[in-house]
């Protein structure tokens, strides 16, 4: 229902906006929540986001809220990131990887999936490392003026 959606998404954002953060800090928190949330190894994004929070002294609730919101997008982007990583470091196994294969391996357990797919996942992480700064720069510069306007 609409009230449930409001309670689950809009209200946490409003609480974060009321915490006295600067538009710059909030924009960086949201940006790094997205970037960390798109890390191509499922189950690791919280650790990546925590590292961002610690390194940049950001707002943990804001970063984690955005991290959780982009989870569906992360799952969709794992295979394209692996394929992009295979462009830098060619691998036949990585170029043939499909989302269904990844889901099947993850359903058997994270450790066994990681063991079988680690080479492909490393290629995905390489692609993420290449794209994250570029996408982060763009996203931060889009969000900052919006946050300045919203927080006035």
């Amino acid at each position: 229902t609409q009230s449930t959606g409001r309670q689950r998404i809009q209200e946490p954002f409003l609480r974060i906006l009321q915490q006295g953060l600067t538009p710059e800090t909030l924009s960086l928190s949201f940006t790094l929540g997205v970037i960390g949330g798109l890390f191509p190894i499922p189950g690791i994004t919280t650790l990546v986001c925590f590292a961002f929070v610690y390194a940049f002294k950001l707002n943990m609730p804001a970063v984690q809220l955005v991290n959780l919101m982009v989870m569906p997008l992360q799952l969709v982007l794992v295979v394209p990131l692996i394929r992009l990583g295979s462009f830098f470091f060619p691998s036949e196994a990585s170029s043939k990887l499909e989302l269904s294969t990844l889901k099947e391996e993850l359903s058997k357990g994270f450790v066994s999936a990681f063991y079988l797919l680690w080479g492909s996942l490393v290629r995905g992480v390489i692609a993420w490392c290449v794209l994250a700064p570029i996408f982060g720069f763009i996203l931060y510069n889009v969000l900052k003026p919006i946050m300045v306007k919203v927080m006035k």
Side-chain angles (χ1 to χ4, degrees):
T1 66
Q2 186 176 3
S3 63
T4 304
R6 180 184 174 116
Q7 290 171 341
R8 296 180 78 193
I9 297 172
Q10 189 176 8
E11 289 178 11
F13 272 115
L14 292 174
R15 282 195 299 272
I16 289 168
L17 291 174
Q18 296 167 350
Q19 291 181 350
L21 300 171
T22 66
E24 293 80 11
T25 302
L26 194 56
S27 298
L28 189 57
S29 295
F30 285 176
T31 297
L32 293 180
V34 170
I35 297 296
L38 296 179
F39 191 76
I41 301 178
I44 305 294
T45 61
T46 300
L47 295 174
V48 173
C49 288
F50 180 76
F52 286 153
V53 167
Y54 182 76
F56 295 102
K57 308 222 182 318
L58 300 173
N59 181 280
M60 177 64 92
V63 172
Q64 288 302 342
L65 178 64
V66 175
N67 169 27
L68 294 174
M69 289 180 66
V70 299
M71 187 182 301
L73 184 58
Q74 178 222 16
L75 296 175
V76 170
L77 290 178
V78 169
V79 172
L81 283 170
I82 289 171
R83 288 192 178 145
L84 180 61
S86 294
F87 174 78
F88 300 115
F89 297 97
S91 164
E92 189 173 320
S94 295
S95 64
K96 293 180 179 178
L97 185 65
E98 297 292 331
L99 185 59
S100 59
T101 308
L102 184 64
K103 285 181 186 178
E104 180 182 325
E105 292 302 326
L106 283 171
S107 71
K108 296 176 186 174
F110 178 78
V111 174
S112 65
F114 186 79
Y115 179 74
L116 288 172
L117 301 170
W118 73 272
S120 297
L121 292 172
V122 167
R123 287 173 177 80
V125 170
I126 291 167
W128 178 85
C129 289
V130 169
L131 294 176
I134 298 164
F135 180 67
F137 177 79
I138 293 168
L139 184 59
Y140 175 78
N141 284 298
V142 167
L143 285 176
K144 187 177 166 188
I146 294 169
M147 291 301 162
V148 167
K149 190 176 284 188
V150 167
M151 294 178 76
K152 281 190 175 186

